[in-house]
């Protein structure tokens, strides 16, 4: 990190974008190192975990619209190097990673340093590298909320996980396995089937090559899946509804499909289905629920039940290339930027 200029002020490289657009709008800018305010800490960033939400934020398709020029980024691992006036100094020097418990209109972690709320930092298991430490909270907590906190999966449940080769999809497979339920992972072609089996999927369906609904019925003995965990939506929701069990629940946690999403009314009526929107933010409402979720993830990481899978690591100077790679949908697991 370049920590000085001619005037002697500390400087750091921060990623910003001045316009909505493709990966090319992301620029590395040298700025004065900011000081944390009340309730905040400053991290010396070691690694950044990329998320689909940041691609959508950059391109103007996210839940919040960026205020330009904008920072971005939810997940970073690093060392606490400064604390706000009301934050205990015992945090200094601790290795932490950020929990995505803030809005990107308020904070962003892409850069050599990052200011974040103390409430959004957590210790990660010592045995994990910074690259692994930045690859845990978004994926495991997102899956935990739908599958454990709200879905209450148990042994004997069948759980459909779409877009299963994403980091959240792999986390969901691991959680389903830990809880003794049966995972049915989907991917578009057979190309990623082997890896999904390798990470623990009980069944894998290549949706462009197989009859998805028929395969789910075959696997579940005609009962369908009680829980479906889907970030795509769009016209595919009807097929998911057809594959759901009586009184099943479809958790929609993303909007990857470019087309509108028609509600599968008749299928929902005939099965008493619940189709609900879900984001990780639901966990943040109750600090006790959030603490329980973080402990669940930490403990299973410590035991080795969960193993964050890193697909590819880019240097910070190639942040635009890292975003292009995410948009290619070629990855299996987490894309990480090393600082």
């Amino acid at each position: 990190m370049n920590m000085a200029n001619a005037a002697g002020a500390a400087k750091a490289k921060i990623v910003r974008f001045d316009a909505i657009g493709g990966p090319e709008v992301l620029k590395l800018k040298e700025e004065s190192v900011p000081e944390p305010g009340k309730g905040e800490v400053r991290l010396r960033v070691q690694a950044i975990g990329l998320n689909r939400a940041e691609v959508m934020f950059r391109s103007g398709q996210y839940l919040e619209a960026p205020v330009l020029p904008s920072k971005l980024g939810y997940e970073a691992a690093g060392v606490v190097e400064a604390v706000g006036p009301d934050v205990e100094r015992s945090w200094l020097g601790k290795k932490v990673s950020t929990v995505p418990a803030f809005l990107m209109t308020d904070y962003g972690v892409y850069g050599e340093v990052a200011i974040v709320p103390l409430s959004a930092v957590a210790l990660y298991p010592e045995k994990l590298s910074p690259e692994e430490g930045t690859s845990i909270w978004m994926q495991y907590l997102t899956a935990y909320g739908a599958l454990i906190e709200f879905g209450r999966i148990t042994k004997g449940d069948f759980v459909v996980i779409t877009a299963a080769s994403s980091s959240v999809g792999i986390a969901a497979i691991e959680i389903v396995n830990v809880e003794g339920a049966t995972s049915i992972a989907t991917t578009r072609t057979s190309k990623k089937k082997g890896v999904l089996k390798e990470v623990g999927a009980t069944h894998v369906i290549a949706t462009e090559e197989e009859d998805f609904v028929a395969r789910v019925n075959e696997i579940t003995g005609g009962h369908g899946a009680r829980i479906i965990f889907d970030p795509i939506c769009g016209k595919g929701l009807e097929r998911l509804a057809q594959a759901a069990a009586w009184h099943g629940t479809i958790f929609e946690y993303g909007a990857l499909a470019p087309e509108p999403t028609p509600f599968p009314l008749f299928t929902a009526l005939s099965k008493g289905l619940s189709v609900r929107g879900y984001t990780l933010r639901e966990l943040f409402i109750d600090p006790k629920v959030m603490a329980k979720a973080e402990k669940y993830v930490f403990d299973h990481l410590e035991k080795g039940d969960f193993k964050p899978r890193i697909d590819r690591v880019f240097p910070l100077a190639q942040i635009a290339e890292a975003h292009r790679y995410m948009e290619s949908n070629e990855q299996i697991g987490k894309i990480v930027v090393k600082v």
Side-chain angles (χ1 to χ4, degrees), residues 202-286:
T202 314
H203 302 276
V204 184
I205 301 172
T207 54
E208 290 180 2
E209 301 168 13
E210 302 173 73
D211 184 325
F212 167 70
V213 177
R215 284 285 290 122
V216 172
N217 280 328
E218 179 189 332
I219 291 164
T220 63
H223 296 292
R226 189 177 75 81
I227 299 292
I228 297 178
F229 186 51
D230 175 60
I232 305 168
C233 231
K235 61 187 178 185
L237 181 58
E238 176 59 49
R239 282 197 307 163
L240 295 182
Q242 289 170 13
W246 167 256
H247 278 179
T249 302
I250 301 174
F251 287 93
E252 291 295 347
Y253 70 98
L256 297 181
E259 75 272 5
T261 302
F263 185 75
L265 178 61
F266 287 103
T267 312
L269 287 172
S270 67
K271 293 184 176 182
L273 287 186
S274 297
V275 180
R276 83 189 280 315
Y278 159 75
T279 73
L280 173 55
R281 294 176 188 181
E282 289 189 56
L283 296 182
F284 302 148
I285 296 166
D286 186 338

Side-chain angles (χ1 to χ4, degrees), residues 1-332:
M1 185 192 305
N2 176 15
M3 293 299 292
N5 65 1
K11 292 281 192 178
K13 288 174 181 156
I14 305 292
V15 177
R16 286 189 180 272
F17 60 103
D18 298 320
I20 299 297
E24 70 281 354
V25 302
L26 299 177
K27 306 294 181 188
L28 261 182
K29 303 197 173 182
E30 195 164 90
E31 300 182 2
S32 297
V33 172
E35 292 301 321
K38 284 189 174 180
E40 296 176 335
V41 300
R42 186 176 73 231
L43 299 188
R44 176 166 47 82
V45 176
Q46 296 169 314
I48 299 160
L50 268 56
N51 293 288
R52 183 69 59 174
E54 292 135 29
V55 170
M56 297 177 75
F57 185 67
R58 183 208 74 217
S59 54
Q61 299 170 329
Y62 196 50
L63 295 167
E64 293 86 33
V67 178
L68 302 172
S70 178
K71 293 181 184 177
L72 77 167
Y74 274 128
E75 289 189 287
V79 178
V80 178
E81 66 174 14
V83 297
D86 58 339
V87 176
E88 288 188 20
R89 294 185 62 79
S90 60
W91 278 99
L92 290 169
K94 288 192 183 299
K95 290 196 300 183
V96 300
S97 52
T98 59
V99 179
F102 51 82
L103 301 182
M104 281 192 287
T105 45
D106 297 329
Y107 297 94
V109 301
Y110 284 16
E112 293 178 325
V113 298
I115 300 288
V116 291
L118 178 64
S119 58
V121 301
L123 300 172
Y124 59 86
E126 281 283 335
K127 66 180 181 178
L128 299 186
S129 67
E131 290 81 8
E132 292 168 322
T134 195
S135 302
I136 56 177
W137 298 119
M138 177 71 89
Q139 64 206 53
Y140 287 109
L141 291 176
T142 299
Y144 172 94
L147 302 180
I148 305 293
E149 182 64 26
F150 303 117
R152 308 285 184 191
I153 61 170
T154 59
K155 288 180 181 176
D157 276 338
F158 290 95
V159 181
V160 168
I161 300 159
T162 68
S165 58
S166 69
S167 58
V168 179
I170 292 171
I173 290 168
E174 291 179 321
I175 288 174
V176 169
N177 288 346
V178 160
E179 298 301 321
T182 300
S183 57
I184 304 171
T186 79
T187 181
R188 285 176 298 168
T189 68
S190 296
K191 184 179 174 185
K192 297 179 180 178
K193 261 191 166 186
V195 179
L196 289 171
K197 281 283 194 179
E198 187 186 305
V199 298
T202 314
H203 302 276
V204 184
I205 301 172
T207 54
E208 290 180 2
E209 301 168 13
E210 302 173 73
D211 184 325
F212 167 70
V213 177
R215 284 285 290 122
V216 172
N217 280 328
E218 179 189 332
I219 291 164
T220 63
H223 296 292
R226 189 177 75 81
I227 299 292
I228 297 178
F229 186 51
D230 175 60
I232 305 168
C233 231
K235 61 187 178 185
L237 181 58
E238 176 59 49
R239 282 197 307 163
L240 295 182
Q242 289 170 13
W246 167 256
H247 278 179
T249 302
I250 301 174
F251 287 93
E252 291 295 347
Y253 70 98
L256 297 181
E259 75 272 5
T261 302
F263 185 75
L265 178 61
F266 287 103
T267 312
L269 287 172
S270 67
K271 293 184 176 182
L273 287 186
S274 297
V275 180
R276 83 189 280 315
Y278 159 75
T279 73
L280 173 55
R281 294 176 188 181
E282 289 189 56
L283 296 182
F284 302 148
I285 296 166
D286 186 338
K288 288 181 183 174
V289 169
M290 194 63 204
K292 185 173 71 170
E294 287 181 20
K295 184 177 188 309
Y296 177 95
V297 173
F298 187 100
D299 289 349
H300 283 295
L301 285 165
E302 193 73 272
K303 284 195 285 187
D305 297 330
F306 298 164
K307 298 181 181 74
R309 184 185 179 99
I310 296 168
D311 179 275
R312 193 166 161 191
V313 179
F314 290 81
L316 183 60
Q318 292 180 14
I319 187 66
E321 286 82 353
H323 267 234
R324 278 190 199 96
Y325 182 58
M326 173 160 271
E327 290 181 340
S328 77
N329 295 316
E330 291 299 310
Q331 75 274 12
I332 301 173

